[in-house]
Amino acid sequence: MKINANRLQSHFEAMSLIGKIGVTGTCRPAHTALEKEGFELAAYWMQKAGMTTHIDNFGNLIGRLEGKNPDLPILMMGSHLDSQPYGGRFDGVAGVLCAIEVITTLSENGIKPERAIEVISFADEEGWRFNKGLFGSRGILGKLDEGELERTDKDGITRGQALKDFGCDILKFKESEYKLGSIFCFLELHIEQGPVLDIANKPIGVVSGISGPLWWTVKLKGMAGHTGSVPMPIRKDALVGAAEIIVAVNEIATQVPGAPTVGTVGTINVFPASRNIIPEEVTFTVDLRDIDLERRNRYEKQLRDRIDKITKKHHLSYEISEDTKSDPRYCADWIKEIIHEECVSLKLDAPELMSGPFHDALALSYACDYGMIFVRCKDGVSHNPLEYSSYEDLALGANVMLGTVVKILKQK
């Protein structure tokens, strides 16, 4: 039993037209008409595969294939269809479309599972629009933080309003939450988004775990003044302080050569943003990740100390808001073993590797066992229109996923 590689490719090609930018890029923001269009297309394919579909109150698209025993916890698969603002065609999409293809193949072969299977395209995995990701996958588990609906995008639209515009009822979140123990396990296929598989010339990898992400929003406050008249020694320049902190993030993250720690400042906003006014306020984001929790905690303290020292040096005040904080989460050994077995049966030498990026699997790991399959991407490029995985590799990944699902369905 194999998936239909030509059909899978046609689905990728059709989805890539929704939110297309340039020749190969994608911009499909969460909770927008473009994401809804992607949902409608994916839902059509889900229905053709025998699934019932709906969009829940968190903005997740859910396809369900009923099982023989409705009392058994479900097998859940999926990823996301929202993209980065300057993204590619495969990030997230691979996990949704390959899962749909697996269900289609099961249905075509007359396989009715003992337990129900759900395929989910989770809402706002990426997190760039409202500066907080994994919204839909955290939502179904009742793990949203206070104030999340009040977070605004660059146009001042709150998440709450965006969800209402999307057709969701934000007063009925409880109806869309999953009961404890209702999910048997979660399986996610994703492009690697890194160079390990490409360098090793291996099309498929088995994920060992996901690094723990720490996301901050940092706000520095100084004093505006005329750039031509305020002497340098008495300035309270918030941007100078921010520049030193940005360098500190890089120094802290790279202090152990070869370690998988990463630290990034990806956005920065300056007020009042005039060439002849000293910057009074600077807001920027910090992204610090590591598979080693003890090391990440140690680096977090170092960074807090550096921020305190740098702001005192420049006579600035500061605030640190914690947007996301998760421990590293490791894949279930029994699921990894099944994935390895399937790779061997397909004559694939699949190395085991960790994931630096987080995925919806990170949120689901707090509710059930999970496993992940990585597909090679060219030069490790992702979050970029140049992102590319071959359809041959994606088909291999889908076949590994198919075999894994068949074996998981035999588990009691």
Side-chain angles (χ1 to χ4, degrees):
M1 186 169 57
K2 299 288 186 208
I3 63 100
N4 185 324
N6 290 331
R7 177 174 57 208
L8 181 61
Q9 178 175 341
S10 72
H11 286 179
F12 273 101
E13 291 171 348
M15 188 61 71
S16 72
L17 299 177
I18 301 174
K20 183 178 180 180
I21 55 173
V23 178
T24 60
T26 300
C27 180
R28 198 161 46 234
H31 314 325
T32 63
L34 284 170
E35 187 184 46
K36 179 68 74 69
E37 187 180 346
F39 278 10
E40 289 169 352
L41 183 57
Y44 170 70
W45 294 327
M46 289 174 170
Q47 291 159 13
K48 286 187 68 176
M51 290 182 268
T52 57
T53 64
H54 74 284
I55 296 174
D56 72 5
N57 291 312
F58 298 108
N60 299 311
L61 170 65
I62 302 174
R64 181 181 175 94
L65 183 71
E66 293 297 342
K68 296 176 186 176
N69 187 344
D71 296 325
L72 288 176
I74 65 168
L75 165 58
M76 184 181 285
M77 298 187 288
S79 197
H80 60 97
L81 291 175
D82 68 301
S83 79
Q84 286 288 327
Y86 187 64
R89 298 165 286 168
F90 304 98
D91 176 7
V93 177
V96 177
L97 299 191
C98 287
I100 293 173
E101 180 59 31
V102 165
I103 300 300
T104 305
T105 305
L106 293 177
S107 296
E108 287 177 342
N109 285 271
I111 296 174
K112 186 171 178 62
E114 194 68 24
R115 67 178 76 244
I117 306 175
E118 289 190 358
V119 175
I120 305 186
S121 176
F122 290 105
D124 196 9
E125 187 269 357
E126 293 291 2
W128 63 269
R129 185 178 176 192
F130 298 99
N131 263 324
K132 193 170 179 70
L134 304 181
F135 179 78
S137 48
R138 288 184 299 110
I140 65 169
L141 303 177
K143 299 291 187 182
L144 298 183
D145 296 329
E146 187 176 343
E148 287 207 41
L149 296 184
E150 286 71 53
R151 300 179 79 93
T152 58
D153 66 9
K154 63 181 179 59
D155 298 315
I157 299 170
T158 65
R159 190 192 289 277
Q161 186 60 53
L163 285 168
K164 289 178 187 177
D165 295 342
F166 203 69
C168 302
D169 190 337
I170 62 175
L171 300 178
K172 295 183 178 179
F173 280 171
K174 279 293 178 185
E175 295 180 10
S176 297
E177 290 179 9
Y178 284 62
K179 293 179 181 177
L180 185 66
S182 64
I183 306 170
F184 179 63
C185 67
F186 179 71
L187 191 62
E188 182 169 7
L189 178 145
H190 208 282
I191 62 169
E192 183 198 348
Q193 300 183 284
V196 175
L197 293 176
D198 196 38
I199 291 171
N201 196 27
K202 308 291 185 185
I204 303 297
V206 182
V207 179
S208 59
I210 302 173
S211 287
L214 174 66
W215 281 13
W216 288 347
T217 298
V218 182
K219 181 184 289 185
L220 307 184
K221 186 72 178 289
M223 176 69 74
H226 198 298
T227 58
S229 58
V230 179
M232 298 298 284
I234 64 170
R235 292 188 177 195
K236 299 178 181 179
D237 189 328
L239 187 55
V240 172
E244 290 193 23
I245 292 169
I246 292 167
V247 172
V249 169
N250 192 70
E251 290 174 348
I252 289 169
T254 58
Q255 62 188 284
V256 177
T261 318
V262 290
T264 308
V265 172
T267 69
I268 185 166
N269 294 299
V270 181
F271 174 83
S274 170
R275 70 163 59 204
N276 62 346
I277 301 178
I278 297 164
E280 179 168 291
E281 186 174 287
V282 176
T283 304
F284 58 94
T285 56
V286 173
D287 181 334
L288 181 67
R289 310 186 198 203
D290 206 315
I291 196 71
D292 184 322
L293 181 60
E294 182 181 350
R295 183 168 56 217
R296 195 199 69 189
N297 289 342
R298 187 168 69 251
Y299 288 2
E300 177 186 358
K301 184 180 184 307
Q302 290 177 11
L303 184 54
R304 286 184 181 274
D305 290 344
R306 292 284 291 275
I307 289 173
D308 192 64
K309 182 178 180 180
I310 290 166
T311 52
K312 284 178 179 175
K313 171 185 172 183
H314 294 287
H315 309 290
L316 308 172
S317 61
Y318 71 92
E319 299 173 11
I320 298 175
S321 301
E322 190 174 272
D323 302 317
T324 295
K325 188 172 187 177
S326 175
D327 294 353
R329 305 294 292 177
Y330 295 92
C331 295
D333 288 337
W334 69 272
I335 300 179
K336 283 195 303 181
E337 288 172 9
I338 291 174
I339 298 171
H340 277 300
E341 287 172 7
E342 284 309 301
C343 289
V344 170
S345 71
L346 293 170
K347 296 181 172 52
L348 295 170
D349 179 14
E352 203 166 292
L353 67 164
M354 57 154 278
S355 174
F358 63 71
H359 306 283
D360 290 301
L362 179 67
L364 268 297
S365 72
Y366 289 90
C368 63
D369 285 351
Y370 84 100
M372 286 193 71
I373 299 162
F374 267 172
V375 176
R376 166 175 56 187
C377 58
K378 188 176 186 302
D379 300 323
V381 173
S382 186
H383 287 187
N384 185 309
L386 296 177
E387 173 184 281
Y388 178 76
S389 288
S390 74
Y391 293 120
E392 292 78 13
D393 285 357
L394 290 162
L396 280 173
N399 276 318
V400 171
M401 196 175 197
L402 173 64
T404 300
V405 167
V406 169
K407 287 187 176 178
I408 287 176
L409 290 173
K410 294 177 181 176
Q411 302 287 317
K412 300 299 183 184

